[in-house]
Amino acid sequence: MREKSGNRASLCATALLPWALLGASPAIAQDMTTSLIDIHQGSPVSDKARGLGDGGYELQTGSRVSFNQWYQTNWVDTHVDLMTQITQDTGILWGFGTGEQGEKYRIAPSLKLGFLTQLHPSANSILSLSFTTTFGGKLSEKPCQADYGDLGTLSVNCRLAAGEMAPEETLKYLANAKPESQHLWLNYRVTF
């Protein structure tokens, strides 16, 4: 029995350590609440991946190859945003993105961290400031292996394989996009 309660105390102390480092007292840390702010699917990077699927080309045999098949996914990048309230006027913003993957692209998972604070310049006004930064979430396009007959099978940008550009030159145009990584909001509200 003692060993279990000792582990529980150790676990509790470990869980409260980050809040103590942030300047919150253990009593405040125990009373902190976490709230769901937003859940949504998709992002500008996810939209860019979908846009890569537009178009196609014809093979020498005359059959059409659509890009759409390579840029479809069963799971769209999903983002969850949360806030942990530290004091009445201060909170930590955090969240994550699941990422997504198709046959010829990948969006890496992401982590969001930030803070929110507010001031009360007068009895009927609130000035709030929030800042978030996102780590990860990069879009990377994968190359194809294309058969160029006498030249052999070469690595090439799938979308440019049928063009006049040399296969090795097309690799420069593989999509690599990062999400917007930082957001700063300043809001002033007056109630009449």
Side-chain angles (χ1 to χ4, degrees):
M1 287 291 213
R2 283 188 178 177
E3 189 173 9
K4 283 186 178 179
S5 65
N7 286 341
R8 190 177 308 139
S10 174
L11 181 62
C12 183
T14 302
L16 296 177
L17 180 62
W19 309 117
L21 293 174
L22 290 171
S25 71
I28 292 173
Q30 288 179 347
D31 291 335
M32 284 191 265
T33 59
T34 298
S35 303
L36 177 65
I37 303 297
D38 184 33
I39 296 178
H40 65 276
Q41 283 192 306
S43 65
V45 176
S46 188
D47 293 343
K48 182 174 179 78
R50 222 69 60 245
L52 295 173
D54 295 341
Y57 58 85
E58 287 187 18
L59 298 173
Q60 287 179 333
T61 61
S63 60
R64 177 147 174 81
V65 175
S66 172
F67 297 152
N68 190 38
Q69 64 185 337
W70 296 328
Y71 299 94
Q72 291 180 4
T73 185
N74 292 331
W75 179 263
V76 177
D77 189 17
T78 301
H79 295 263
V80 177
D81 296 327
L82 302 135
M83 183 186 75
T84 300
Q85 188 172 349
I86 297 173
T87 68
Q88 184 175 346
D89 292 322
T90 307
I92 295 175
L93 299 171
W94 58 284
F96 61 90
T98 62
E100 73 179 63
Q101 187 165 339
E103 184 178 344
K104 294 296 177 189
Y105 78 98
R106 178 178 185 266
I107 298 175
S110 61
L111 176 66
K112 181 187 286 188
L113 295 172
F115 70 90
L116 169 70
T117 188
Q118 62 184 16
L119 303 169
H120 304 275
S122 66
N124 62 343
S125 66
I126 298 174
L127 176 64
S128 60
L129 171 72
S130 67
F131 175 78
T132 60
T133 188
T134 302
F135 304 95
K138 181 180 176 185
L139 165 66
S140 301
E141 186 176 14
K142 301 173 188 176
C144 290
Q145 297 299 313
D147 184 359
Y148 283 93
D150 293 341
L151 296 174
T153 301
L154 301 172
S155 186
V156 65
N157 182 321
C158 306
R159 296 173 292 112
L160 302 175
E164 295 180 18
M165 192 180 301
E168 61 275 1
E169 288 295 313
T170 65
L171 297 174
K172 295 177 185 176
Y173 300 98
L174 289 172
N176 284 303
K178 294 181 181 179
E180 292 181 0
S181 62
Q182 297 180 338
H183 289 99
L184 176 68
W185 292 276
L186 182 62
N187 185 25
Y188 183 69
R189 186 174 63 197
V190 179
T191 306
F192 295 99

